[in-house]
Amino acid sequence: DIQMTQSPSSLSASIGDRVTITCRASQTINNYLNWYQQEPGKAPKLLISSSSNLQSGVPSRFSGSGSGTDFTLTISSLQPEDFATYYCQQSYYTLPLTFGGGTKVEIK
Amino acid sequence: QVQLVQSGAEVKKPGASVKVSCKSSGYSFISYDINWVRQATGQGLEWVGWMNPNSGYTGSAQKFQGSVAFTMDTSISTAYMELSSLTSDDTAVYYCARVVSVGPTRFFDYWGQGTPVTVSS
């Protein structure tokens, strides 16, 4: 199975801060990497597919990059509604699909 | 609009089985795979398995093989996940999610609201 490692597991930031979350795969996954946001008590929401494709309706302050084994999710200017947990997920050819452990973004 | 609506919370005793439903609307049910993902309290997301409503094919993560079964009723656009031989480790929120497949990439674009399953004696 492909292991996905996110870092940090949590972070504290202020409104307006630039935030970067990283996700590393245990083997190359090309760009088959997706990002989700999960607010407490809610289902995850798809933010970005295929490493950098911003989903319709997702604010442009979110961006994704990377290929191979190393990926990043960046929030350019953190807003109050962005405080949540973020997960990466790989879908490289064979099952199982796997998720990173999550990064909780908290208010400083 | 696309919606996936799951059945309500369940409380089961160890060794029992639970069946969770996921009713889809707003799109052609047979055109997209449905996957199941679970989340224990305070923990991350864990992929359980998949089902193709068009072919009827299903599959699961290795740890669930033999204990999970996926079925579907295309006449009512509903997918089901049944988990048997429950233990306390199966206590979690179970989500169904629609999968978009573009070549080899797969992502979950719509999710159900989640079904909490509690296993307790």
Side-chain angles (χ1 to χ4, degrees), chain B residues 5-14 16-22 36 39 41 79-84 86-95 113-121:
Chain B
V5 179
Q6 298 183 225
S7 48
E10 301 269 10
V11 179
K12 296 292 182 180
K13 293 194 182 302
S17 297
V18 67
K19 192 170 186 177
V20 179
S21 68
C22 172
W36 295 84
Q39 185 173 39
T41 302
Y80 302 92
M81 179 198 69
E82 184 168 17
L83 194 58
S84 58
L86 292 168
T87 72
S88 57
D89 290 343
D90 295 314
T91 294
V93 176
Y94 289 78
Y95 294 101
Q113 81 276 20
T115 296
V117 174
T118 302
V119 183
S120 174
S121 55

Side-chain angles (χ1 to χ4, degrees), chain A residues 62-75:
Chain A
F62 290 92
S63 63
S65 65
S67 185
T69 61
D70 294 319
F71 301 85
T72 60
L73 172 70
T74 299
I75 309 173

